[in-house]
Amino acid sequence: MRLPAQTAGSPQIAAKPGAAQAPAQAPAQAPEPAPGPGRGAAPHGGLEDRIARFATIWSRAIFPVTATSLTRVEFEQHLVPLARTLTDALHARRFDAGIAQKVGAELVAVHCTDPEALAGTLGVIESYLVLYCGSPTPDSPGTEGAEESRSRCARLQHGIAAGFARALRERTLREQEAIARSALTARSDAQQALHASEERFRAVFEGAAVGIGIADLDGNVLEANDALLQMFGGLEGHVRSRNVSEWGHPDDTPHVWRMYGELVRGERESYRVEKPYYRHDGTVLWTNLTVSLLRDADGLPQYQLALMEDTTERRLLNLRLRYEATHDALTGLPNRTLFFERLEKALSAAGDSRFGLCYLDLDGFKAVNDSLGHSAGDRLLVEVADRLQSCATGPGEVVARLGGDEFVALTTGPDTEEKVTDLAVRILSALSTPIRLEGRELTVRGSIGIVEGRARERTPAEVLRSADITMYRAKAAGGNRFEFADAEADARAITRHGLTNALPAALERGEFFIEYQPLVHMHDGSIHGAEALVRWSHPQYGVLGPDRFIPLAERTGLIVPLGRWVLEESVRQARNWQRQLGGASLRINVNLSPTQLHHPGLVADTIAVLEKSGLAPGALCLEVTESALIGADDELLEPLRRLAALGVDIALDDFGTGYSNLANLRRLPVSVLKLDRSFTQGMQQQPADPVDVKIVEGIVALAHSLELAVTVEGVETGAQAAQLRALGCDTAQGWYYARPGAPDRIHTLSLSDAVPTAS
Ligand code: C2E
Ligand code: MG
Ligand code: MG
């Protein structure tokens, strides 16, 4: 069999299956024939086989340009019936070109719509259809004859092309129609969505809990929702058809209207402020207001949209909370917090502004509280607060309660030197009218510390501290008076503060030491014992006496470890003396502070110290000041009673200064009265003050009748000593015998049998 002429020049093409060749140039570049007889040779096998191979060639030619989702194999399977249809048409008795049109349409149906797919198909049919499928058997040329086959093949190609084109056009039309339809649908969907969104907006607008209003750029209100109307009191006319500019309020922050101007001019997109409005009934509505600019499609400002949240109640609550946080619940006066704010403001005032501050503390308020009860105390404070408030009514004047019975009054301005003195005088005189309480007339007095000065020189804390220090000075000077702050007194107080802070480290570093002052038997001048007196060897201030630091140690609680150290050290020292002096019964007196009295470890600590040193309890005398025992109940006295039961002596120190009830002496577990130095001083002059003589005589008689020994303090002269001896005092202590000194000095003293000192 001969090769058809048309295929003679077909170039060799890659056999790579599926490789994108150029079927468009077919028939000149038809794909390689399917495996079989090879190019130029007539294919062997049955017709079905050859049809299948033709389909393979066809699919190789056009699959690469097909936009189908079928795989190559599936696509080929799809072409097989088409190849068969074409073969049938080739062999049919009556040729029907319409069959070919269906094949063309079928190609379009499987997405072979690319023009190259059509060209490739036509090329493959041109080159291989007759070759592979032209005869029913490989060897028989078929009934139609070669010429007929060629002609049919050409008509089949035309038919395929026509069917392809029509199908493609129809498909395009269908697609266009679908696009148009969906565009139409989309448009109506959009309209519906718009409608729905408008509906939604309406629903939100009407039902919103926040007030929503729309106004034009001139400020005319166009729309307002219900919530907004309700906020304004429910009157529509009060909101709609009004102009935004009518809603100014004196409490508007200055930038509100500036931002409004910027917004309506299109210079800002939105602003948010807290803004008050007047309702039609004159009440005030507070809102959190957010105003946004609405622009049209071209971006030009069109409307303003206001969202308002009613914050009136929250604001009131905040104001109330703020009031409660800044005012004293009892008296209604500003409290410490608010006063600090005011003072801070006064102290940061510009120009030559000055301030004057009165710091008042009531004298003896504790006694009122203790004797009449706390509710009476409270009523007294309320009355005092009222009176103070009536004293400070001038501009820039404030009264506050700092706590307890402490009040402050502040005055500001250019001439506070005079004003603050007037204020203090007014306060003292306002207090001087007795207050009626529980049917009694109570006289209230107070001590005032005044600080006056220029603004911007001190902090509020510094001013209050100075005023507090000064107030204490007024109190120490007898109370019911005012004192002006002075830098030196402040410095002393500040030193006190520094000392307080340095105390703990001082104890750790061993900066304390003890001096011993002998106690002498009056009748023979022999040494009875010594009182331990603590001192602080301060690295900066030198040796400090107990009056400088014991009260500070008391206040901070450090007195407990310090007192324990003194006890331990002096008991050990007493034991040493006893050993050195061959068992002489030298006694040691140790002072106890009120805080130590309350400390639960007092008894156990004392016993432990005695046991450790081996000193007999009877050689120890604990001195307790009279004032510490005034009003002492059994609970407080219990530890002292237990110590007394062990044999420890208890002395009532500074007796005669605490105005204690003499009858009370019987209750106390004391065995010694130490007469305060003030009585001794009365004996200094010659002749001695007869009243003091009488008092001492009486006390000694009373003490002896209660089996108490009497020690006198502060004996400085021989005359005093003689007088006190004559009055029956048992032991004495004072510079006349010896000043407090180092422990080894007690030897010289005892050996010389208490020879009076030279000084
Ligand atoms: P106090 O217990 O009444 O001690 C007597 C004070 O009088 C001592 O003062 C002493 O130095 C002083 N003094 C003694 N003789 C004379 C004199 O002839 N003339 C004058 N003008 N004064 C004399 P000091 O040492 O300054 O002690 C003061 C107070 O400190 C003591 O008074 C006592 O209450 C307290 N104190 C001292 N040491 C301690 C201690 O270790 N613990 C406690 N809690 N308080 C102590
Ligand atoms: Mg003492
Ligand atoms: Mg004393």
Side-chain angles (χ1 to χ4, degrees), residues 517 531 534-535 546-547 591 653-654 677 713-714 716 734-735 740:
Q517 186 175 33
E531 179 175 8
V534 68
R535 277 92 180 84
D547 292 340
N591 293 283
D653 204 354
D654 303 340
R677 193 158 59 85
E713 293 186 295
E716 291 180 355
W735 297 348

Side-chain angles (χ1 to χ4, degrees), residues 201-202 204-208 210-215 220-232 234-242 244 247 304-308:
F201 172 73
R202 270 280 138 213
V204 169
F205 184 79
E206 293 303 343
V210 289
I212 308 177
I214 298 177
N220 301 310
V221 178
L222 306 174
E223 297 242 35
N225 72 348
D226 262 2
L228 192 85
L229 298 181
Q230 293 309 321
M231 283 182 199
F232 276 87
L235 277 192
E236 215 174 312
H238 191 69
V239 179
R240 291 207 176 109
S241 331
R242 288 197 53 186
V244 171
W247 277 313
Q304 42 176 322
L305 171 76
L307 299 180
M308 281 184 197

Side-chain angles (χ1 to χ4, degrees), residues 681-695 723:
Q681 270 169 337
M683 315 281 153
Q684 206 159 17
Q685 67 228 38
Q686 287 302 329
D689 181 334
V691 177
D692 275 344
V693 171
K694 279 262 176 282
I695 292 174
Q723 179 92 61

Side-chain angles (χ1 to χ4, degrees), residues 340-426:
F340 240 79
E341 283 175 21
R342 295 281 165 84
L343 183 58
E344 200 155 33
K345 208 168 148 198
L347 291 178
S348 57
D352 52 359
S353 182
R354 299 182 73 87
F355 73 94
L357 184 144
C358 293
Y359 194 117
L360 167 79
D361 186 286
L362 300 185
D363 298 337
F365 175 70
K366 192 178 174 308
V368 174
N369 244 352
D370 289 350
S371 56
L372 299 180
H374 283 264
S375 72
D378 283 356
R379 267 175 288 145
L380 180 105
L381 290 174
V382 171
E383 176 62 30
V384 168
D386 284 350
R387 294 187 183 188
L388 290 181
Q389 202 144 36
S390 67
C391 294
T393 50
E397 291 187 336
V398 191
V399 171
R401 179 178 176 215
L402 296 186
D405 60 343
E406 292 179 7
F407 296 86
V408 273
L410 177 71
T411 175
T412 53
D415 52 355
T416 47
E417 283 147 301
E418 253 182 63
K419 268 167 73 179
V420 77
T421 315
D422 287 351
L423 185 58
V425 170
R426 279 205 303 280

Side-chain angles (χ1 to χ4, degrees), residues 262-276:
E262 289 168 1
L263 183 114
V264 294
R265 288 196 298 274
E267 294 161 13
R268 70 158 56 230
E269 294 308 309
S270 65
Y271 63 90
R272 197 186 157 89
V273 284
E274 205 182 1
K275 179 169 163 30

Side-chain angles (χ1 to χ4, degrees), residues 195-507:
H195 186 66
S197 91
E198 264 177 17
E199 288 274 285
R200 272 202 300 277
F201 172 73
R202 270 280 138 213
V204 169
F205 184 79
E206 293 303 343
V210 289
I212 308 177
I214 298 177
D216 63 20
L217 297 181
D218 294 327
N220 301 310
V221 178
L222 306 174
E223 297 242 35
N225 72 348
D226 262 2
L228 192 85
L229 298 181
Q230 293 309 321
M231 283 182 199
F232 276 87
L235 277 192
E236 215 174 312
H238 191 69
V239 179
R240 291 207 176 109
S241 331
R242 288 197 53 186
N243 195 285
V244 171
S245 60
E246 295 167 32
W247 277 313
H249 189 280
D251 289 342
D252 280 343
T253 49
H255 57 280
V256 170
W257 293 102
R258 177 179 51 77
M259 290 193 295
Y260 175 81
E262 289 168 1
L263 183 114
V264 294
R265 288 196 298 274
E267 294 161 13
R268 70 158 56 230
E269 294 308 309
S270 65
Y271 63 90
R272 197 186 157 89
V273 284
E274 205 182 1
K275 179 169 163 30
Y277 292 90
Y278 282 122
R279 296 197 185 94
H280 64 276
D281 59 2
T283 56
V284 176
L285 161 73
W286 274 92
T287 65
N288 263 344
L289 169 72
T290 307
V291 183
S292 308
L293 182 63
L294 300 182
R295 296 176 182 270
D296 64 13
D298 299 324
L300 294 173
Q302 218 176 5
Y303 301 110
Q304 42 176 322
L305 171 76
L307 299 180
M308 281 184 197
E309 186 197 358
D310 184 345
T311 57
T312 315
E313 279 196 15
R314 201 191 313 159
R315 202 183 150 83
L316 283 176
L317 183 69
N318 280 343
L319 286 177
R320 216 181 71 219
L321 291 178
R322 155 98 187 145
Y323 181 87
E324 278 168 15
T326 53
H327 286 77
D328 173 45
L330 177 67
T331 61
L333 288 182
N335 65 8
R336 176 180 283 271
T337 309
L338 183 55
F339 184 75
F340 240 79
E341 283 175 21
R342 295 281 165 84
L343 183 58
E344 200 155 33
K345 208 168 148 198
L347 291 178
S348 57
D352 52 359
S353 182
R354 299 182 73 87
F355 73 94
L357 184 144
C358 293
Y359 194 117
L360 167 79
D361 186 286
L362 300 185
D363 298 337
F365 175 70
K366 192 178 174 308
V368 174
N369 244 352
D370 289 350
S371 56
L372 299 180
H374 283 264
S375 72
D378 283 356
R379 267 175 288 145
L380 180 105
L381 290 174
V382 171
E383 176 62 30
V384 168
D386 284 350
R387 294 187 183 188
L388 290 181
Q389 202 144 36
S390 67
C391 294
T393 50
E397 291 187 336
V398 191
V399 171
R401 179 178 176 215
L402 296 186
D405 60 343
E406 292 179 7
F407 296 86
V408 273
L410 177 71
T411 175
T412 53
D415 52 355
T416 47
E417 283 147 301
E418 253 182 63
K419 268 167 73 179
V420 77
T421 315
D422 287 351
L423 185 58
V425 170
R426 279 205 303 280
I427 290 173
L428 290 182
S429 86
L431 293 180
S432 67
T433 315
I435 295 177
R436 276 198 76 78
L437 210 67
E438 316 247 299
R440 310 176 192 208
E441 300 252 297
L442 278 182
T443 308
V444 181
R445 302 200 185 288
S447 304
I448 297 178
I450 296 178
V451 182
E452 195 277 333
R454 264 207 300 273
R456 296 192 314 284
E457 283 182 354
R458 278 176 282 184
T459 65
E462 283 167 352
V463 169
L464 277 181
R465 188 173 60 188
S466 175
D468 183 28
I469 291 167
T470 314
M471 179 275 291
Y472 272 107
R473 199 146 47 79
K475 209 171 262 285
N480 195 28
R481 71 188 62 213
F482 58 82
E483 294 278 345
F484 271 88
D486 88 88
E488 236 175 70
D490 277 13
R492 273 201 304 279
I494 289 162
T495 307
R496 246 194 339 260
H497 183 71
L499 288 181
T500 308
N501 289 341
L503 272 172
L507 184 60

